[in-house]
């Protein structure tokens, strides 16, 4: 049952927020070269993560912090020969800071000449301080020691310890190899892009099986095979046609990357306005798929492009591919739009990766059927089943739309769309879909039929099974298969289910410490850091610091799948003090507690702003979930982790921190 439901939700699951830790999104390397007996040249090279900006030493005041060189030269051992030169920069107006900011374009290169003033100088010590910004700004500094005898560079934690330890040259080389820069979580980034590619690829196949695209496969392949003088020429033209389709969609992804890549919103998934707008957008897409109207580009576009397709050669084939994209827009547009908005929220090259995956699935059949035209005989004929797939996509889009409306409601804590209401809406949508598949409902573009196909019957049974699975959720069933999509159990009319009288926690609401509440699985959780730490000192227990969000899908998955494990739940209830800080809490801080963030330069107005700023300032991360085990003095007991769905892995990590206190 669970495997079937996972398969069913595959096309929906790409909107779940992926926790992505952004730890030092810039990698800095450095070297020193000898120019003469008294002159040296130091070079710094930096590679900045896609979508982030590093700022010039000449950027205007009042905006992001400028790059700065701080030389540990109290004995006046040397002097700087002019200011450090910089690689290419760009100056643009920043609406947030209301200043012209200057930032680097492409790889960063900094060069500084230094002249020695005294003999026997052993090393030069420099701190490189800079700020990188995307939706948030992270301040960083790297401390480098340059050995003038061996001409090696080493990154150190602080200059005082370096002087005391007198690290040898060979040790310096090894440490430099391990610390030449600051590396982000590449594995998480690659995983995120791979997920986007896979989902986009399957979305491309879904678009392929629509009335606008599917009938064009035999028509197009027949055209190439009949018009070409040889079979090899036909195959070549079909491959060019397929590659042209890919090129068109990748260019579209590139345009979106250019628009959103540099300033993509990392917190987009918890933004109330984004979620409401995307809800409305998906409702429009779903209504179109269900047959109320068609979203089409102007006919004049198709006519102009079609006229160019008659030119022949590669140019003609390219225009044929463009004609396909325009003519099929009523079917592919909603899918492409959904993919692009989701990918743009990830930033970087995600839109390009998404469009490549989508167009690859769309283009492959044209190329393969041209190579093996005999396969055309095995293709199912066009018919009502194509419209059935299109309508089915409409039901999926409509169900997905309410997830975004739920996100907005959770962030606002308005309690308009609580768990029971959300599940009732999904039961109604999927129930209507099941009736449609069984032929009990007809929509505008459906063909009259006296019987349904076996495939449609099986699909109807599958959807009905899913509806039956959802129903117990109205009475408090956990519904782990769709964990993260509906609001959590704590956000419902009956948190303990219909007729439930409370959880297993020994603490009643009246007995809870100040600043605490009963969270997931009735675990006592503090929502204020200071109050939680004070309580931890009183009971002499370590702390599990949980950066979370009301609209964080992966946070709910962790609570439903991982925290529900008896061994982990026992630790959370008995061995640690849980502090859950919601970074999307929109409740305003009192005027006296509002302040300007040192990290982002923005005004901190809400409780969520406060905890998000706290996370970035102290732990250099800005994504959720994010877990840290602390002692009751606030010191880290192990390395933080993000989304960790493996129960045993999370338990080992949690025990690793807790047992250090014991």
């Amino acid at each position: 049952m669970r495997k079937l439901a996972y398969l069913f939700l595959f096309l929906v699951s790409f909107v779940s927020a992926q926790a992505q830790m952004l730890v030092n999104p810039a990698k800095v390397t450095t070297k020193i070269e000898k120019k003469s007996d008294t002159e040296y040249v130091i070079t710094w090279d930096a590679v900045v993560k896609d979508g982030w900006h590093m700022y010039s030493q000449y950027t205007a005041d009042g905006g992001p912090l400028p790059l700065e060189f701080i030389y540990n030269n109290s004995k006046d051992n040397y002097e700087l020969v002019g200011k450090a030169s910089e690689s290419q920069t760009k100056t643009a107006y920043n609406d947030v800071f209301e200043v012209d900011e200057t930032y680097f374009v492409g790889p960063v290169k900094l060069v500084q000449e230094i002249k020695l003033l005294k003999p026997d100088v052993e090393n030069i010590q420099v701190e490189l301080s800079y700020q990188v910004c995307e939706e948030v700004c992270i301040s960083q500094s790297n401390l480098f020691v340059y050995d003038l005898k061996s001409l090696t560079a080493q990154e150190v934690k602080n200059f005082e310890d370096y002087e005391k330890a007198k690290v040898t040259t060979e040790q310096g080389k090894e440490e430099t190899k391990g610390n030449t820069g600051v590396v982000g979580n590449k594995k998480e980034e690659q995983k995120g892009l791979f997920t986007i590619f896979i989902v986009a690829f399957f979305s491309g196949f879904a678009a392929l099986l629509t009335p606008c695209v599917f009938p064009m496969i035999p028509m197009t392949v027949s055209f190439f095979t009949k018009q070409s003088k040889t079979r090899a020429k036909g195959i070549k033209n079909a491959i060019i046609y397929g590659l042209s389709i890919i090129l068109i969609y990748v260019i579209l992804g590139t345009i979106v990357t250019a628009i959103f890549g540099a300033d993509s919103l990392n917190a987009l998934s918890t933004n109330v306005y984004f979620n409401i707008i995307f809800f409305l957008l998906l409702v429009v897409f779903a209504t179109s798929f269900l047959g109320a109207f068609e979203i089409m580009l102007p006919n004049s576009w198709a006519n102009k492009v079609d006229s160019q397709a008659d030119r022949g050669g590669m140019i003609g084939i390219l225009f044929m591919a463009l004609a396909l994209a325009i003519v099929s827009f009523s079917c592919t547009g909603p899918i492409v739009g959904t993919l692009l908005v989701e990918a743009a929220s990830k930033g970087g090259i995600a839109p390009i990766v998404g469009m490549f995956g989508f167009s690859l699935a769309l283009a492959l059949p044209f190329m393969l059927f041209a190579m093996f035209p005999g396969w055309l005989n095995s293709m199912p004929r066009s018919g009502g089943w194509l419209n059935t797939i299109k309508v089915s996509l409409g039901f999926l889009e409509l169900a997905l739309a309410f997830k975004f409306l739920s996100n907005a409601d959770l962030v606002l804590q308005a309690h308009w769309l609580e768990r029971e209401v959300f599940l009732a809406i999904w039961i109604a949508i999927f129930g209507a879909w099941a009736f449609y598949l069984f032929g009990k409902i007809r929509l505008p573009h459906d063909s009259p039929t006296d019987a349904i196909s076996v495939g449609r019957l099986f699909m109807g049974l599958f959807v009905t099974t899913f509806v039956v699975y959802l129903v117990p959720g109205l009475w408090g069933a956990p519904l782990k298969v769709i964990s993260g999509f509906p609001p959590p159990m704590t956000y419902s009319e009956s948190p303990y289910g219909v007729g439930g009288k409370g959880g297993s926690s020994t603490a009643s609401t009246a007995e809870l410490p100040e600043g605490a509440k009963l969270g997931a699985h009735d675990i006592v959780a503090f929502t204020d850091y200071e109050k939680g730490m004070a309580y931890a000192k009183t009971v002499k227990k370590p702390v599990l610091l949980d950066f979370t969000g009301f609209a964080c899908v992966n946070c709910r998955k962790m609570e439903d799948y991982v925290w529900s494990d008896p061994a982990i739940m026992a630790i959370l209830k008995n061995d640690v003090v849980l502090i859950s800080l919601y970074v999307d809490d929109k409740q305003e801080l009192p005027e006296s507690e509002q302040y300007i963030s040192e990290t982002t330069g923005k005004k901190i107005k809400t409780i969520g702003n406060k905890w998000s700023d706290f996370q970035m300032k102290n732990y250099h991360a800005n994504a959720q979930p994010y877990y840290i085990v602390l002692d009751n003095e606030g010191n880290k007991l192990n390395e933080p982790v993000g989304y960790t769905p493996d129960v045993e892995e999370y338990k080992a990590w949690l025990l690793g921190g807790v047992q250090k206190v014991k």
Side-chain angles (χ1 to χ4, degrees), residues 404-424:
F404 289 91
L405 186 62
S406 173
N407 283 347
D409 182 60
L410 282 166
V411 172
L412 292 173
Q413 290 289 286
H415 289 270
W416 294 335
L417 197 60
E418 292 181 322
R419 185 179 176 90
E420 293 89 347
V421 178
F422 181 93
L423 290 175

Side-chain angles (χ1 to χ4, degrees), residues 457-470:
L457 172 66
F458 280 131
M459 189 63 184
L461 291 172
F462 177 70
V463 176
T464 303
T465 304
F466 182 68
V467 173
V468 174
Y469 173 78
L470 291 177

Side-chain angles (χ1 to χ4, degrees), residues 204-205 207-208 213 245 249 324 328 332 357-366:
F205 275 124
L208 187 69
V213 182
I245 293 172
Y249 283 99
L324 170 70
S328 65
T332 60
F358 177 85
S359 58
L360 181 63
L362 204 62
L364 273 176
F366 291 95

